[in-house]
């Protein structure tokens, strides 16, 4: 077998044990991989080192760990050779080695970094811990060079163990092979003045799950130098400023708000991902032809550049990460589970701190550019696939995307003074508004048309500051709109939200609600499905919201738009009969909490503090209690902007590759401004053909997005395995992995149920609808009219033949169908009612008494109105679940069960004891004489029993005489690093 074969296939036994423990702890909120490791198992193979191979005996026999006999696999050095040390005839009889990208194997979830005196070995394993690959990194090359050798052969665990044994034996003289880190991923390579570093993920935690694909947050990283250690014979000169660059990079906390996923592209929206996959299916491709990530949101893009030039498949080894905010919550609707996911992606281009990055650069990229996606999905099926042969056509997934970003003009604010509100300066007045044109053309390419601009800056001020930008931005939109088609023009809405919030006669929330409905009408939202059974909706266009900082006012406006989108998404999923949701309901409170965390995170990243004005401020509730908090946050923002933002900006410029060290150039900390780091070099673009001032947009970007039709892929599936299309099953369900409910992310997820008071649920007086308005008095008088929204089980649209969901006819009357499941009606012992709503406005009143206390005669006299029966059955279900009862027969059976062991008589003879129990007699009569006579023991069994009874005076001390005994076999294996809990045979 060639070294190219051995180098990628498996993992050492000791490392297997390390990752085995991680398999059980993988669902922890914060997952930490151990760095302690002993290489006692890396032994017993011929001597091969990093530098030159040495010959070995061909094909010595080997015994596997499970006792099966197998041919011994040998290898050459790490460098792949065209021949194998096996005999050619023997090799031809076996199956060829799997290659990366074959049969869906290549997605590695766990990595182990081994080191020798002159090389690093990065071993990657899949989620099942069965297939492995390896990467070799040379540490002896000159500073500034990167030598990485990749092998695309996929190995088994046993083969990888043998490979590590080979490397260890070949480096005995220099210390052998040692495990340096066990990690969850590689972020890339970076260098400052000398050798390269590689950045590893050491801790992670679950934050969301989309279509069975987990999204993780980075909780810990490690920067590993590829330089030769001081004890080595290879010496490299170290630049005196190297440590300072490392210190600047450490100012960027990668353990806060950085996210990644092994199998889901979080750099693109759900609509883009599904559309790309379905286009590939039409071409009968197992994966998109160009599966490129959106480089605008890949924050480790600069670290991936060295890997792109060396590795064949960069993203097989390196993980792209996004910066922003991700959160997911569970909306419980009478047993129906709906997931709400918020994903905010911050652009890496023109990124920086508040006063240091304003407006736009000359390429049209704006500061504080954040794309916010709201995914609402009903978890009837987890996968993105629909039941049957319809891949990526699950109708239970919807999403809505909106955008925030600084005003796309050339403007700045001088923060060198001590004033908390520096003057705004328009640095360049462009009559053709080139930066704004490039920015909106980029929005057209990403989201389509129309673009709805909501400008919330101040219109009237004593000293003009924001109002200067309002006038200039309005002129820019007017100029650009005159060249766009009539139905694709930029929709511009300017509104002084700050002044309206301070006025007593203006309704801020009401105005935002009307704007949000207009936005949803113009842009729509995405709803997946199949053209045959469900209506597919595509989002064409984007809502772009901005204020002066794109923080407080912008977040409030985006929340209202998101709330309106949530109503449309729930209506499309068949959860609501209407598209509106009232405030102070559990659903809106849950969304408010998520958007508040979303706004706080974006505000900390850009402004240095949390939100100053929250939704409570604009709704004018709790103003006195939040006043002190607003003052504290304002002071924190001022302090960070004045004293800490420059250090943070230097870390951004270094990590993102905006500044690259070069001999003879000024150091990063010596630059008076970073303007030239974020703007294009005029010498680079001046010679190029400039874009027309009139046709400033690409017409193809204005066309509506469409979803490709689903195709029957059963024929292609018969020749391909499913992991080629999607291996979500292994990541979500984790076969053979032991876990518990408290470690499962979906079980620990935040839910709307936490808003339900526990006391009222026990009394049976609480309305469990998440769309019921919580006015604080609903428990005092439950006979009052219901103010919550109705919950209609409408089911997916256009689903003929579905006799389980309830649909409404054209005249508004509900069609008949099965609503509640069989277990509910069997519990109530009533015939199944035919109705269309779970919760009705006309609730049934039963004299303020719990339904569980009613007699059967009273239940029989209940009104037979469909809406009344609906509310009564639901209330009875809640009461029965919160007040469980046990029947007499069940209680007697349980008592007999727990008392059974105490009543067993002590058997000391073959005679039947007096007053034997019924179970004892039944057991005695069930045993035949022939079965008893056939029982016998051999001499070996008797000797083993005698050996077991022979206990020394000091039973805790294990002597040499005890080692041959069978009961010490597992203990000896444990001393060698084997796991005690693996169910495998222990040989004598």
């Amino acid at each position: 077998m060639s070294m190219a074969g051995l180098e990628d296939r498996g993992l050492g036994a000791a490392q297997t044990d390390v990752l085995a423990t991680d398999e059980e702890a993988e669902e922890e909120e914060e997952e930490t991989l151990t760095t302690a490791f002993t290489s006692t198992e890396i032994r017993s193979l011929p001597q091969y080192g990093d530098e030159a191979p040495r010959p070995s005996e061909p094909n010595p026999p080997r015994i596997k760990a499970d006792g099966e006999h197998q041919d011994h696999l040998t290898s050459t050095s790490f460098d792949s050779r065209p021949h194998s040390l096996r005999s050619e005839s023997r090799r031809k009889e076996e199956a060829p080695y799997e290659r990366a990208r074959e049969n869906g194997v290549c997605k590695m979830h766990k990595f182990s970094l081994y080191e020798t005196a002159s090389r690093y070995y990065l071993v990657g394993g899949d989620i099942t811990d069965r297939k492995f690959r390896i990467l070799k990194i040379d540490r002896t090359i000159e500073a500034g060079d990167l030598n990485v050798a990749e092998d695309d052969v996929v190995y088994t665990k046993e083969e990888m163990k043998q490979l590590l044994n080979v490397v260890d034996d070949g480096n005995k003289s220099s210390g052998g092979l040692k495990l340096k880190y066990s990690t969850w991923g590689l972020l890339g390579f970076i260098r400052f003045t000398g050798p390269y570093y590689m950045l590893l993920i050491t801790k992670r935690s679950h934050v969301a799950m989309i279509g069975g694909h987990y999204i993780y947050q980075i909780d810990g990283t490690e920067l590993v130098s590829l330089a030769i250690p001081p004890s080595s014979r290879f010496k490299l000169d170290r630049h005196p400023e190297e440590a300072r660059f490392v210190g600047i990079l450490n100012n960027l906390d990668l353990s806060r708000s950085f996210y990644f996923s092994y199998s889901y592209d979080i750099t693109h929206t759900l609509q883009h991902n599904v559309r790309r996959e379905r286009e590939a299916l039409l071409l009968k491709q197992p994966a998109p032809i160009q599966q490129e990530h959106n480089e605008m949101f890949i924050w480790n893009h600069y670290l991936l550049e060295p890997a792109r030039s060396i590795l064949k498949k960069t993203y097989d080894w390196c993980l792209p990460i996004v910066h922003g905010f991700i959160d997911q919550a569970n909306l419980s609707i009478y047993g129906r589970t709906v997931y709400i996911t918020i994903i905010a992606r911050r652009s890496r281009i023109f990124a920086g701190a508040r006063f240091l990055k304003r407006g736009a650069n000359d390429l049209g990229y704006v500061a504080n550019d954040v794309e916010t996606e709201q995914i609402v999905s009903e978890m009837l099926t987890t996968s993105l696939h629909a039941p049957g042969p319809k891949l990526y056509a699950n109708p239970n997934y919807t999403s809505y995307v909106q955008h925030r970003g600084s005003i796309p003009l050339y403007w700045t604010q001088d923060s060198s003074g001590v004033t908390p509100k520096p003057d705004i300066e328009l640095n360049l007045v462009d009559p053709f508004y080139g930066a704004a044109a490039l920015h909106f053309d980029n929005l057209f390419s990403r989201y389509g048309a129309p673009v709805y601009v909501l400008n919330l800056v101040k219109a009237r001020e004593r000293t003009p500051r924001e109002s200067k930008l309002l006038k200039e931005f309005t002129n820019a939109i007017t100029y650009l709109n005159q060249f766009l088609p009539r139905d694709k023009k930029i929709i511009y809405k300017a509104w002084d939200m700050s002044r309206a919030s301070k006025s007593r006669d203006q309704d801020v929330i009401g105005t935002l609600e009307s704007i949000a409905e207009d936005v949803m009408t113009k842009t729509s939202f995405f709803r997946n499905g199949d053209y045959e059974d469900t209506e597919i909706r595509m989002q064409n266009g984007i809502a772009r919201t901005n204020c002066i900082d794109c923080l407080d006012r912008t977040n409030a406006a985006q929340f209202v738009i998101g709330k309106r989108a949530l109503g449309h998404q729930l209506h499309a999923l068949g959860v609501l009969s209407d598209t509106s949701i009232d405030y102070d309901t559990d659903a809106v409170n849950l969304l408010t909490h998520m958007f508040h965390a979303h706004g706080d995170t974006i505000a900390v990243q850009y402004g240095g503090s949390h939100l100053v004005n929250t939704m409570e401020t604009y709704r004018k509730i709790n103003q006195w209690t939040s006043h002190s908090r607003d003052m504290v946050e304002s002071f924190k923002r001022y302090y960070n902007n004045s004293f800490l933002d420059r250090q943070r900006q230097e870390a951004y410029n270094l990590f993102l590759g905006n500044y690259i060290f070069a001999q003879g150039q000024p150091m990063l900390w010596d630059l008076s401004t970073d303007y030239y780091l974020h703007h294009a070099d005029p010498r680079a673009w001046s010679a190029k053909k400039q874009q027309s001032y009139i046709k400033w947009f690409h017409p193809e970007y204005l066309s509506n997005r469409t979803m490709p039709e689903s195709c029957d892929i059963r024929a292609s599936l018969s020749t391909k395995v499913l992991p080629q299309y999607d291996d979500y099953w292994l990541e979500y369900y984790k076969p053979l992995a032991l876990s518990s409910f408290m470690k499962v992310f979906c079980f620990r997820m935040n839910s709307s149920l936490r808003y339900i008071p526990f006391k009222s649920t026990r009394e049976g007086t609480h309305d469990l609808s998440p769309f019921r308005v919580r006015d604080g008095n609903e428990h005092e008088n439950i006979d009052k009219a219901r103010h919550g929204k109705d919950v209609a089980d409408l089911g997916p649209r256009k689903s003929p033949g579905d006799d389980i969901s309830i649909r409404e006819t054209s005249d508004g009357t509900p069609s008949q169908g099965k609503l509640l499941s069989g277990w509910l009606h069997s519990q109530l012992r009533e015939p199944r009612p035919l109705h269309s709503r779970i919760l009705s406005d006309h609730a049934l009143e039963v004299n303020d008494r719990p339904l569980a206390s009613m007699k059967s005669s009273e239940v029989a006299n209940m009104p037979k109105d469909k809406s009344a029966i609906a509310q009564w059955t639901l209330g009875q279900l809640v009461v029965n679940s919160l007040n469980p009862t046990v029947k007499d027969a069940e209680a007697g059976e349980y008592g007999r069960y727990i008392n059974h062991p105490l009543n067993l008589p002590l058997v000391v003879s073959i005679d039947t004891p007096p007053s034997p129990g019924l179970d004892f007699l039944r057991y005695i009569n069930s045993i035949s004489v022939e079965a008893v006579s056939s029982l016998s023991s051999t001499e070996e069994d008797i000797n083993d029993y005698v050996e077991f009874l022979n206990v020394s005076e000091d039973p805790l001390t294990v002597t040499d005489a005890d080692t041959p005994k069978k009961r010490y076999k597992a203990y000896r294996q444990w001393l060698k690093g084997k796991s005690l809990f693996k169910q495998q045979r222990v040989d004598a």
Side-chain angles (χ1 to χ4, degrees):
M1 181 176 184
S2 66
M3 189 52 148
L6 268 177
E7 286 189 306
D8 261 4
R9 257 201 126 92
L11 198 63
Q15 175 62 11
T16 303
D17 295 337
V18 175
L19 292 182
T21 58
D22 294 331
E23 188 114 57
E24 298 178 5
E26 194 171 10
E27 302 293 342
E28 292 289 346
E29 182 176 359
E30 182 179 276
E31 302 184 52
T32 307
L33 287 179
T34 177
T35 58
F37 180 83
T38 58
S39 57
T40 56
E41 282 294 311
I42 308 177
R43 295 291 182 270
S44 74
L45 279 187
Q47 299 289 328
Y48 283 94
D50 285 340
E51 298 160 11
R54 293 192 289 267
S56 63
E57 298 180 4
N59 301 335
R62 178 178 58 84
I63 302 297
K64 293 181 63 176
D66 56 1
E68 296 178 3
H69 190 81
Q70 190 180 45
D71 287 339
H72 185 64
L73 300 180
T74 59
S75 65
T76 63
S77 66
F78 188 89
D79 298 327
S80 178
R81 293 184 179 248
H83 63 276
S84 173
L85 294 184
R86 289 186 178 198
S87 62
E88 291 298 330
S89 60
R90 177 65 175 172
R91 185 66 187 89
K92 290 179 181 179
E93 294 176 0
E94 300 181 356
Y97 302 126
E98 287 180 309
R99 296 280 175 178
R101 295 292 178 189
E102 288 183 2
N103 298 331
V105 293
C106 69
K107 294 182 179 179
M108 294 173 286
H109 289 240
K110 302 171 184 178
F111 299 84
S112 300
L113 181 66
Y114 296 88
E115 68 170 339
T116 63
S118 58
R119 286 174 176 83
Y120 279 122
Y121 295 90
L122 185 64
V123 177
D126 67 347
I127 195 170
T128 61
D129 202 28
R130 295 177 178 176
K131 299 178 180 180
F132 301 87
R133 296 182 62 192
I134 194 169
L135 201 68
K136 185 185 72 171
I137 306 171
D138 195 353
R139 306 170 64 187
T140 61
I141 59 176
E142 296 181 359
D145 295 333
L146 183 63
N147 185 5
V148 179
E150 178 189 12
D151 193 350
D152 60 351
V153 178
V154 182
Y155 296 93
T156 64
K157 182 183 298 184
E158 189 64 26
E159 291 168 342
M160 183 56 70
K161 172 187 172 182
Q162 295 180 12
L163 171 62
L164 297 179
N165 289 340
V166 168
V167 177
D168 180 57
D169 291 338
N171 290 272
K172 291 292 186 180
S173 59
S174 59
L177 182 69
K178 300 178 181 178
L179 177 68
K180 189 174 181 65
Y181 293 105
S182 294
T183 75
W184 295 114
L186 173 65
L187 296 182
F189 303 90
I190 188 173
R191 68 178 293 264
F192 308 118
T193 64
Y196 272 91
Y197 298 83
M198 59 179 168
L199 194 58
L200 304 174
I201 301 174
T202 57
K203 297 180 182 178
R204 71 179 187 184
S205 57
H206 293 105
V207 292
M209 187 274 297
I210 299 177
H213 305 279
Y214 279 111
I215 301 176
Y216 303 89
Q217 175 177 323
I218 298 176
D219 293 332
T221 58
E222 190 69 34
L223 190 66
V224 181
S225 174
L226 302 186
I228 295 297
S231 59
S232 175
R233 67 179 182 271
F234 302 98
K235 299 294 182 182
L236 296 176
D237 296 333
R238 184 180 178 89
H239 197 279
E241 301 295 348
E242 182 77 11
R244 186 165 183 177
F245 278 109
V246 175
I248 293 176
L249 185 64
N250 288 333
N251 290 331
L252 180 62
D253 189 1
L254 292 176
S255 63
R256 298 180 60 181
S257 306
F258 284 88
Y259 307 92
F260 70 94
S261 177
Y262 295 105
S263 54
Y264 182 78
D265 184 6
I266 57 177
T267 65
H268 281 116
T269 63
L270 178 65
Q271 175 175 302
H272 180 277
N273 290 336
V274 172
R275 185 166 176 254
R276 180 181 60 187
E277 296 290 348
R278 293 179 66 162
E279 287 177 349
L281 291 177
L282 285 178
L283 300 176
K284 301 187 182 304
Q285 297 288 337
I289 299 177
Q290 295 181 347
Q291 192 170 0
E292 296 294 335
H293 299 273
N294 191 345
E295 296 184 352
M296 184 178 183
F297 300 115
I298 301 178
W299 271 64
N300 58 334
H301 178 269
Y302 174 64
L303 279 71
L304 295 177
E305 288 182 355
R308 288 193 182 98
S309 61
I310 297 176
L311 301 179
K312 303 173 185 177
K313 299 291 184 179
T314 304
Y315 295 112
D316 284 1
W317 294 98
C318 302
L319 295 171
I321 60 173
V322 300
H323 186 37
F325 173 81
I326 297 181
D327 190 19
Q328 190 173 54
N330 177 358
L331 185 64
S332 179
I333 311 170
Y334 297 123
R336 299 180 70 174
T337 302
V338 175
Y339 282 175
I340 303 177
T341 310
I342 303 295
I343 301 178
R345 308 173 182 93
R346 175 180 291 277
S347 173
R348 66 175 178 87
I349 306 176
F350 205 53
R354 180 189 179 197
F355 286 140
L356 301 179
K357 288 293 166 286
R358 293 295 211 184
N361 65 2
D362 51 6
L363 297 179
Y365 295 102
V366 297
N368 199 19
D369 188 313
V370 181
E371 173 188 278
T372 302
E373 182 179 15
Q374 176 178 303
I375 301 176
V376 179
S377 57
E378 184 181 1
M379 303 313 296
L380 183 63
T381 55
T382 303
S383 171
L384 294 174
H385 311 307
K390 299 177 181 178
L391 297 184
Y392 300 100
N394 191 343
N396 296 321
Y397 279 87
T398 65
S399 74
Y400 182 76
V401 183
Q402 47 185 324
H403 176 271
R404 73 168 71 184
S406 187
I407 297 176
L409 301 172
Y410 297 114
W411 63 281
T412 58
Q413 284 182 284
D414 185 9
S415 61
S416 59
V418 294
T419 173
K421 293 184 179 181
D423 292 336
I424 295 176
E425 299 179 4
L426 284 167
N427 307 99
L428 177 63
V429 178
D430 183 4
F432 303 104
Y433 301 100
L438 291 173
H439 173 69
F440 284 108
D441 189 41
N442 178 261
L443 292 182
F444 288 147
S445 66
R446 290 157 58 185
Y447 310 111
V451 174
Y452 196 110
V453 178
L454 179 57
N455 188 9
L456 303 176
V457 299
K458 297 179 181 178
R460 297 175 57 184
E461 299 172 294
R462 293 182 180 180
T463 302
R465 292 180 60 257
E466 298 184 16
S467 56
K468 294 190 296 184
L469 293 176
L470 172 63
K471 180 180 178 181
E472 193 69 16
F473 193 25
T474 304
N475 294 337
I477 298 296
T478 304
Y479 171 80
L480 297 176
N481 263 340
Q482 60 182 333
F483 306 114
L484 287 171
R486 182 179 300 274
D487 58 337
K488 305 296 183 181
K489 292 184 182 297
I490 301 173
I491 304 173
Y492 181 68
K493 174 69 175 180
W495 180 50
D496 191 344
M497 182 175 173
S498 176
R499 186 178 185 86
S501 64
K502 298 175 182 177
S503 176
R504 296 183 177 180
D505 57 348
Q506 293 194 41
D507 183 9
V508 176
I509 302 301
T511 304
L512 289 177
E513 284 282 353
S514 60
I515 294 175
E517 182 60 29
D518 190 27
V519 167
M520 294 302 302
T521 303
K522 296 293 193 302
T523 63
S524 188
F525 62 96
F526 168 66
R527 193 253 175 119
N528 195 18
D530 191 350
Y531 286 104
E532 298 178 0
D533 300 329
T534 55
E535 177 185 0
I536 297 179
R537 306 188 66 169
M538 300 290 289
Q539 179 177 347
N540 287 284
I542 192 71
R544 185 196 189 278
T545 310
N546 72 268
C547 53
I548 194 63
D549 294 323
C550 301
L551 295 179
D552 301 348
R553 286 169 280 178
T554 298
N555 195 73
Q558 284 196 335
F559 162 74
V560 177
I561 297 175
K563 169 185 169 295
R564 195 65 183 171
L566 177 63
H568 284 269
Q569 290 171 294
L570 292 176
H571 175 69
L573 294 176
V575 176
L576 288 179
S577 59
D578 194 6
T579 59
S580 62
I581 310 176
D582 294 331
Y583 285 90
D584 298 319
T585 59
D586 293 344
V588 174
N589 289 339
L590 184 66
L591 187 67
T592 304
H593 175 77
M594 298 178 69
F595 263 91
H596 186 83
H598 163 261
D600 278 342
T601 304
I602 300 300
V604 169
Q605 295 168 4
Y606 184 62
S609 70
H610 295 93
L611 292 174
V612 175
N613 299 314
T614 62
M615 276 302 299
E616 293 182 349
T617 305
Y618 296 110
R619 292 187 63 191
K620 300 180 181 180
I621 57 177
N622 299 331
Q623 295 193 58
W624 291 106
T625 57
S626 62
H627 185 64
S628 59
R629 174 199 170 276
D630 295 347
M631 293 180 60
V632 172
E633 294 299 332
S634 298
F635 178 77
K636 288 171 59 178
R637 184 174 296 183
Y638 166 72
Y639 176 80
N640 283 278
N641 297 156
S642 301
F643 304 104
L644 301 180
D645 279 358
R646 191 164 297 276
Q647 299 178 10
R648 194 150 51 98
Q649 188 65 53
E650 289 180 351
Y652 281 144
N653 291 335
L654 192 62
F655 181 77
L656 296 174
N658 298 325
Y659 173 85
I660 302 176
F661 170 80
Q663 291 290 346
Q665 298 296 327
M667 292 295 182
L668 175 61
W669 48 87
D670 293 333
L671 296 176
S672 58
T673 177
D674 64 349
Y675 175 86
Y676 300 101
L677 303 180
H678 294 269
H679 291 74
D681 187 352
R683 293 172 295 184
W685 56 263
S686 59
K688 297 180 180 180
K689 183 180 179 180
Q690 299 298 312
Q691 191 172 1
S692 172
Y693 294 127
I694 297 177
K695 295 183 179 180
W696 55 268
F697 58 92
H698 291 78
E700 60 271 18
Y701 294 161
L702 303 180
S703 59
N704 290 337
R705 270 66 171 165
T706 58
M707 182 64 67
E709 295 184 2
S710 60
C711 57
D712 192 349
I713 44 85
R714 282 175 289 188
S716 58
L717 279 179
S718 61
T719 59
K720 297 182 177 65
V721 294
L722 189 59
Q724 284 188 280
Y725 294 91
D726 190 5
D727 59 351
Y728 82 94
W729 180 274
L730 295 179
E731 185 175 10
Y732 181 66
Y733 292 100
K734 289 184 173 60
L736 307 180
L738 179 63
S739 185
S740 62
F741 280 115
M742 297 308 298
K743 295 180 181 180
V744 176
F745 170 73
C746 299
F747 184 80
R748 297 182 288 107
M749 187 187 304
N750 185 23
S751 175
S752 60
L753 295 177
R754 72 183 185 90
Y755 295 100
I756 299 177
F758 178 73
K759 180 180 179 181
S760 57
T761 57
R762 296 190 62 182
E763 297 174 354
T765 60
H766 188 83
D767 188 350
L768 296 179
S769 171
F771 309 107
R772 162 72 186 272
V773 177
R774 310 298 181 192
D775 54 6
N777 300 319
E778 62 269 17
H779 308 303
E780 298 178 4
N781 186 4
I782 62 173
D783 295 334
K784 293 183 179 180
R786 305 284 183 175
H787 300 289
K789 297 299 297 180
D790 291 353
V791 182
D793 192 5
L794 302 179
R797 300 289 189 267
K798 297 182 180 181
S799 52
D802 187 359
D803 61 344
I804 297 179
S805 60
I806 304 300
R807 300 175 297 278
E808 292 184 354
T809 58
S810 57
D811 59 354
T813 59
S815 61
Q816 295 184 354
K818 301 177 182 179
L819 178 64
L820 300 179
S821 56
W823 62 267
L824 169 62
H825 299 283
S826 62
Q827 182 180 10
L828 299 174
R829 299 187 181 280
E830 286 288 327
R832 296 190 176 188
L834 300 178
H835 53 86
S836 65
R837 300 186 186 276
I838 297 177
L839 178 62
S840 175
D841 287 333
H842 306 286
L844 185 62
E845 303 174 2
V846 196
N847 299 327
D848 296 336
R849 289 195 306 163
L851 294 176
S853 62
M854 298 180 60
K855 299 180 180 179
S856 58
S857 58
E858 297 177 357
V859 176
N861 296 327
M862 298 283 290
K864 298 304 180 181
D865 181 70
K866 293 182 179 180
S867 61
I869 293 178
Q871 181 61 27
W872 172 71
T873 54
L874 181 61
Q876 185 68 14
L877 168 66
V878 174
V879 172
N880 290 350
S881 60
L882 297 178
N883 300 277
T885 59
V886 180
K887 299 179 180 179
D888 294 338
E890 296 174 343
E893 182 179 357
Y894 179 71
R896 175 173 165 269
Y897 167 73
I898 60 176
N899 294 326
H900 177 71
L902 302 179
N903 297 331
L904 287 178
L906 181 62
V907 180
V908 295
S909 67
I910 61 175
D911 299 331
T912 303
S915 303
L918 181 61
D919 293 338
F920 181 77
L921 290 177
R922 189 176 303 165
Y923 170 74
I924 291 297
N925 296 330
S926 64
I927 301 178
S928 63
V929 180
E930 292 78 6
V932 176
S933 61
S934 62
L935 297 177
S936 62
S937 59
T938 62
E939 184 177 355
E940 183 181 358
D941 296 335
I942 298 176
N943 294 334
D944 291 340
Y945 182 66
V946 173
E947 178 187 343
F948 177 76
L949 294 179
N950 186 14
V951 180
S952 61
E953 297 180 357
D954 188 5
L956 299 180
T957 302
V958 180
T959 62
D960 295 337
D962 296 327
T963 54
K965 298 180 180 179
K966 289 186 177 181
R967 52 184 165 179
Y968 295 106
K969 294 291 185 180
Y971 179 69
R972 292 203 312 274
Q973 295 292 335
W974 178 78
L975 290 178
K976 294 180 180 180
K978 298 286 186 178
S979 175
L980 286 175
F981 302 99
K982 290 187 176 179
Q983 300 299 322
Q984 61 184 16
R985 191 177 67 186
V986 179
D987 298 329

